[in-house]
Amino acid sequence: MPEGILCNKTPIKTDEQLKLTLSDSRGTKYYAEMLELEVDSDALWALVQKTLKSRTKTWLEICAHCGLCAESCFLYQVNGRTPKQVPSYKIQSTLGQIVKKKGKVTNEFMRHCMDVAWSQCTCCNRCGMYCPHGIDMGVMFSYLRGLLYSQGFVPWELKIGSGMHRVYRAQMDVTTEDWVETCEWMAEETEEEWPGLEIPVDKQDADIMYTCNAREPKHYPEDVAEAAILFHVAGENWTVPSEGWEQTSLSMFAGDWECCKDNVQNVYDAIERLNPKRAIGTECGHAHRATVIEGPYWTGRPDGLPPRPYIHYVEWLAEALRTGKLKIDPAKRIKEPVTLQDSCNYVRNQGLKDITREIISYIVEPGFFVEMSPNKEHNYCCGGGGGFNGIGMYREQRNVALRKKMDQILDTGCKLVIAPCHNCWDAIRDLEEEYEIGIRWSFLKPLVIGMLDVPEHMLPKDEE
Amino acid sequence: MFKKILLATTGSPASFGAARVAFDMAKRYGSEVTIFHVLGVPTKAFSQVVNDVRTGEEVEVDAEYISWVEEELKTTYAKQFAGAENAKIVITTGAPHREILREARNQDSDLIVMGASSGDNVKYHRGYPGSTLQKVAKAARCPVLTVHRESASYWGGFSSILFGTDFSKQAASAFKFALNTARELDCVLTIFHALDISGKVLDQTQIEENLIVARKRIRETYVPLMGDFKNFDIEVWEGAPYVEIVKLAREKQVDLIVMAHHTRELDAEKAKIGSTVEQVIVRANCPVVSVSKPDKV
């Protein structure tokens, strides 16, 4: 079985292999090796037999090729409505073929599958809502990605991303020490303006255990500080775990099932260890999907639920505003046209559509909120979901994909977009960079902090 | 006092003044200098691509690219390196203000030296308000020395220090730093308060009364802290504080201005005008040190 040094069927499990793969600029050598990568048909077919369950089988069988899913797909819409972008065609011509040919497919075909799975589908699951049979191509593409990953046909950045999760249990090289140090640092930096603020690490039996996205400690620790400020002002009894703090899952984007399970288990172990009343994740969509929606199944939890109630940041924020734990100064509410990006991963996937509007009702002056069209569970993907944002090889396709969101935003006439999801936030940032439509974008945390009506005793003592 | 200096630089001509001062201090006072450069701002989610801060181009950061940047910096500062015993280069990627703060914390730096502006490099901002300097000055545990104008870096060493006070809590730390520096380097120290009358029409008697009060307050607040240090004088007069500080510094041939920094406003739009210290930084003819924390004074 000829396999490459970088491009092979073995996941990245060591720091050495990780650095070696990273040093291959833009994956040049990696993709060159992929051209020679042999498909192990027996292993592929064995894996299909073991993992292709009745639902997916049925879906592949009963698709009537009616084409009703076509218009539901934003990639179909922005790519000149070519039949090649119809969801049912995309999945039938890739996964369908692998099943039909019992895994006897060529290297070239596998590379084609990789292109389709990672650059023609963001697993946004919108098609599933429009299929008369309820066939969800997004779910099937996630499955196909797993098959491709097992054979080593995965974009370079995602091989690395998944390797990061395996080596560091985080999507970026942030160690436990780095993380704890960052929490201390942020507490130190923030407590001057917020006397009494703490970022408690590994506190037992707190009301809340908070988890986040490794990019926050790595590049934007302000986000961790902002979360701390809001918990502090709300008077929450909260903590972060020293281990199991990273909620994201590039392994889910990569199709590295084993790693998905390991990472979620790591978060669940932290919950069991610290015994909080509930867990709350940061403003991230796929991290929520991985740990809250898919995670219980990956880890084989019989009740299909995480070990404790695990909610998305927007759920906590809405609750804090509703119950008055956080008070908004009406004078500081947003008084300009503002729109909201519904993240597929917790809006379409979990139905958290009204809760974000509730937040809007507290922080936006009535009359200034403009809905995108379509919205809520019918909203389109930002254009960068499912790992699309980070893959250099598919940059051009991704930039085309951003056009749908751009048009939606332009139609609202708003210059401010609230995007409570890392991937959406990134995509909208890139959209502005690429198309320069003159918009600003923000997570909820900094917006809310800017509007708080803070109780007198929480403010620093007056200085002259 | 200045054992460890962190020179945060873009490597562009705008930062040459800061480099000159940092290396001059290193040679004069035996400090270690770390030339710290953030070569790119992370972009595109988890990809390995960064926007190079000098060209704005997207680049893939690998060992080769980093060593190329390092060579560039060595060439840029070749002259300075020649006489500096203790200089090293550290290169990283990230949001510049954050990485500067991280490195200063890691090294436990005594002083951060930086240029005040890299111009309007949008790559530095990317959705985060406030300039790099504002954010560093706000959060750094150690004093931050800035050199904005080329002309501000032509002094050799420090002999005359101007401490501008607004009597804030932060000013107490700034004073300690000014006093310790003056003691250590044997400088004359001028303690100055400008009574802010900008935009107000005040009765002259009232102005003069306020001046007397401020002078008395300086004596009560700072003189008891100076012990046997006698090489100081006190000045109080009225005006727009930043103008008066710059004027006095010019008149007295001051070579270091020390002030407190306590702007909370990081919103780029609102902070554009900047605080007094920011205004002084862009106008002064000598380096300006802003102090906001009591840790390293």
Side-chain angles (χ1 to χ4, degrees):
Chain A
M1 287 290 162
E3 292 197 45
I5 297 166
L6 303 175
C7 185
N8 49 42
K9 297 177 177 61
T10 315
I12 295 174
K13 293 175 182 168
T14 63
D15 201 31
E16 194 186 3
Q17 182 70 9
L18 188 59
K19 289 204 165 65
L20 186 69
T21 315
L22 268 169
S23 67
D24 173 28
S25 253
R26 291 180 193 260
T28 318
K29 183 167 175 234
Y30 176 88
Y31 289 121
E33 287 179 357
M34 192 183 283
L35 299 174
E36 307 296 321
L37 185 62
E38 195 162 331
V39 183
D40 182 346
S41 293
D42 295 345
L44 179 59
W45 183 235
L47 183 63
V48 169
Q49 285 175 298
K50 204 170 106 190
T51 55
L52 187 80
K53 298 280 162 56
S54 46
R55 182 177 69 170
T56 313
K57 266 190 204 148
T58 311
W59 277 350
L60 282 171
E61 284 291 326
I62 64 170
C63 172
H65 302 257
C66 69
L68 277 173
C69 56
E71 202 59 32
S72 74
C73 178
F74 79 105
L75 289 163
Y76 170 81
Q77 290 188 34
V78 295
N79 285 293
R81 294 189 158 73
T82 165
K84 285 191 169 156
Q85 286 278 5
V86 175
S88 59
Y89 170 80
K90 287 188 273 197
I91 198 72
Q92 291 287 350
S93 63
T94 51
L95 177 63
Q97 289 297 310
I98 291 176
V99 175
K100 207 171 264 178
K101 293 181 175 162
K102 297 194 157 74
K104 290 190 170 40
V105 289
T106 63
N107 166 295
E108 192 186 3
F109 180 78
M110 289 295 268
R111 281 185 288 113
H112 165 72
C113 286
M114 178 178 90
D115 289 342
V116 178
W118 277 284
S119 77
Q120 295 181 25
C121 175
T122 62
C123 305
C124 83
N125 309 90
R126 194 170 186 270
C127 48
M129 295 186 55
Y130 292 85
C131 169
H133 293 307
I135 299 172
D136 194 324
M137 272 61 72
V139 168
M140 292 157 93
F141 266 111
S142 291
Y143 173 68
L144 173 63
R145 287 180 179 195
L147 299 183
L148 294 167
Y149 182 87
S150 73
Q151 292 289 318
F153 291 91
V154 55
W156 176 70
E157 289 88 348
L158 283 167
K159 179 92 176 186
I160 290 168
S162 181
M164 287 277 184
H165 279 291
R166 282 171 174 268
V167 177
Y168 290 96
R169 283 194 161 148
Q171 63 162 272
M172 292 188 163
D173 51 353
V174 180
T175 62
T176 300
E177 292 71 36
D178 291 342
W179 161 248
V180 172
E181 158 74 12
T182 302
C183 290
E184 284 169 16
W185 178 25
M186 283 303 109
E188 187 183 289
E189 203 171 276
T190 319
E191 68 183 358
E192 295 208 348
E193 276 177 73
W194 302 93
L197 176 139
E198 289 176 341
I199 301 183
V201 180
D202 284 341
K203 186 175 168 184
Q204 284 291 329
D205 309 319
D207 295 339
I208 293 168
M209 182 184 104
Y210 179 67
T211 53
C212 68
N213 175 328
R215 293 177 60 203
E216 293 163 4
K218 176 87 181 172
H219 290 308
Y220 313 112
E222 288 87 343
D223 200 289
V224 180
E226 285 162 356
I229 291 168
L230 289 169
F231 285 143
H232 169 69
V233 174
E236 294 285 20
N237 168 12
W238 71 294
T239 189
V240 291
S242 57
E243 275 283 349
W245 52 271
E246 158 67 306
Q247 204 195 338
T248 67
S249 184
L250 292 185
S251 34
M252 179 170 80
F253 291 159
D256 183 351
W257 298 333
E258 190 187 17
C259 178
C260 284
K261 179 182 168 178
D262 172 84
N263 274 255
V264 170
Q265 192 57 57
N266 196 34
V267 176
Y268 291 176
D269 290 349
I271 295 177
E272 301 283 14
R273 194 176 66 243
L274 298 178
N275 191 36
K277 288 198 177 63
R278 55 183 178 166
I280 297 175
T282 188
E283 292 175 70
C284 186
H286 90 274
H288 184 76
R289 182 175 177 175
T291 42
V292 180
I293 304 165
E294 313 270 5
Y297 297 95
W298 294 341
T299 53
R301 293 186 58 83
D303 58 358
L305 294 168
R308 298 284 182 286
Y310 205 139
I311 60 175
H312 191 274
Y313 199 78
V314 297
E315 294 178 90
W316 174 78
L317 190 57
E319 175 197 291
L321 290 164
R322 189 187 317 130
T323 55
K325 284 180 182 172
L326 293 174
K327 289 190 179 63
I328 297 289
D329 177 348
K332 294 182 185 160
R333 288 202 292 217
I334 298 172
K335 294 184 186 59
E336 66 169 301
V338 57
T339 188
L340 169 74
Q341 162 63 4
D342 286 303
S343 159
C344 308
N345 278 326
Y346 63 88
V347 176
R348 190 163 18 257
N349 255 299
Q350 209 208 348
L352 297 178
K353 58 185 177 183
D354 296 326
I355 206 105
T356 42
R357 269 94 195 147
E358 185 187 346
I359 296 171
I360 293 283
S361 76
Y362 303 130
I363 66 171
V364 178
E365 194 74 9
F368 286 101
F369 175 55
V370 187
E371 286 277 16
M372 277 184 207
S373 173
N375 56 50
K376 299 181 183 170
E377 70 272 38
H378 297 281
N379 190 30
Y380 290 107
C381 168
C382 58
F388 212 177
N389 268 339
I391 304 170
M393 192 166 71
Y394 302 135
R395 174 78 19 212
E396 271 176 52
Q397 292 91 318
R398 201 287 314 254
N399 287 347
V400 172
L402 296 173
R403 298 191 71 93
K404 189 72 213 173
K405 192 51 59 186
M406 176 183 81
D407 290 343
Q408 279 187 288
I409 294 171
L410 284 172
D411 287 344
T412 65
C414 298
K415 293 290 174 210
L416 177 61
V417 184
I418 300 176
C421 165
H422 268 274
N423 237 333
C424 300
W425 190 99
D426 270 322
I428 291 166
R429 179 193 69 187
D430 285 1
L431 180 165
E432 174 60 28
E433 200 171 84
E434 186 65 23
Y435 298 109
E436 297 183 342
I437 59 172
I439 51 170
R440 309 186 317 284
W441 54 96
S442 181
F443 287 113
L444 281 160
K445 295 183 196 92
L447 289 174
V448 172
I449 289 172
M451 300 179 203
L452 285 179
D453 182 0
V454 185
E456 199 59 44
H457 69 273
M458 287 196 158
L459 295 168
K461 293 278 171 291
D462 252 359
E463 302 143 14
E464 283 201 272
Chain B
M1 201 88 225
F2 303 123
K3 277 200 188 68
K4 289 184 183 171
I5 294 178
L6 183 68
L7 168 64
T9 175
T10 53
S12 66
S15 64
F16 287 175
R20 192 174 298 123
V21 172
F23 279 105
D24 182 70
M25 287 175 77
K27 288 167 197 172
R28 225 171 263 275
Y29 311 126
S31 325
E32 285 173 33
V33 180
T34 301
I35 298 166
F36 183 72
H37 176 62
V38 177
L39 69 83
V41 181
T43 165
K44 319 301 175 207
F46 52 87
S47 74
Q48 305 305 320
V49 177
V50 302
N51 280 110
D52 185 286
V53 294
R54 283 170 89 174
T55 60
E57 297 292 309
E58 285 190 2
V59 289
E60 196 90 24
V61 178
D62 51 21
E64 199 185 336
Y65 189 77
I66 290 176
S67 62
W68 176 77
V69 172
E70 186 161 349
E71 279 311 305
E72 281 278 284
L73 285 172
K74 277 189 178 145
T75 316
T76 306
Y77 300 123
K79 250 209 209 112
Q80 280 90 340
F81 263 114
E85 295 295 310
N86 269 330
K88 61 174 179 193
I89 293 182
V90 175
I91 294 174
T92 189
T93 57
H97 74 282
R98 191 38 66 195
E99 298 312 316
I100 293 168
L101 291 166
R102 195 191 307 266
E103 187 67 18
R105 185 180 155 90
N106 286 348
Q107 293 205 12
D108 198 19
S109 305
D110 298 306
L111 185 71
I112 296 172
V113 179
M114 58 196 289
S117 163
S118 52
D120 267 340
N121 187 338
V122 289
K123 300 293 177 211
Y124 272 125
H125 300 300
R126 300 193 69 94
Y128 291 89
S131 72
T132 300
L133 168 65
Q134 279 170 329
K135 285 186 276 203
V136 170
K138 176 174 185 265
R141 310 304 300 184
C142 65
V144 178
L145 182 144
T146 44
V147 181
H148 183 63
R149 305 167 68 197
E150 198 64 1
S151 60
S153 61
Y154 288 128
W155 307 81
F158 303 123
S159 60
S160 171
I161 297 175
L162 170 59
F163 162 64
T165 180
D166 56 2
F167 302 111
S168 62
K169 184 178 84 173
Q170 287 84 352
S173 301
F175 174 74
K176 274 194 196 120
F177 175 82
L179 176 66
N180 291 342
T181 311
R183 272 182 205 268
E184 187 138 338
L185 309 181
D186 193 19
C187 307
V188 56
L189 173 64
T190 306
I191 305 169
F192 175 63
H193 174 72
L195 185 65
D196 189 358
I197 58 162
S198 43
K200 306 172 199 161
V201 179
L202 293 171
D203 175 84
Q204 193 56 28
T205 326
Q206 200 187 346
I207 290 176
E208 278 158 25
E209 272 171 16
N210 288 346
L211 289 175
I212 292 166
V213 170
R215 187 172 285 272
K216 187 164 172 279
R217 191 167 176 185
I218 287 183
R219 282 216 182 83
E220 286 169 356
T221 312
Y222 300 116
V223 175
L225 302 175
M226 289 197 274
D228 59 354
F229 183 82
K230 297 286 179 256
N231 197 5
F232 69 92
D233 52 20
I234 296 172
E235 298 280 0
V236 177
W237 63 59
E238 69 277 30
Y242 72 85
V243 177
E244 301 308 320
I245 291 171
V246 172
K247 273 164 45 181
L248 181 61
R250 190 171 53 220
E251 189 173 312
K252 287 195 162 240
Q253 300 204 337
V254 161
D255 40 37
L256 186 67
I257 299 174
V258 179
M259 294 171 71
H261 187 283
H262 47 85
T263 322
R264 292 230 172 83
E265 191 52 73
L266 283 177
D267 187 310
E269 288 309 304
K270 293 180 193 157
K272 249 196 188 118
I273 305 300
S275 58
T276 299
V277 65
E278 284 160 21
Q279 285 295 328
V280 171
I281 284 169
V282 297
R283 293 161 199 277
N285 261 338
C286 65
V288 179
V289 171
S290 85
V291 184
S292 65
K293 309 273 190 301
D295 308 41
K296 289 266 177 187
V297 296

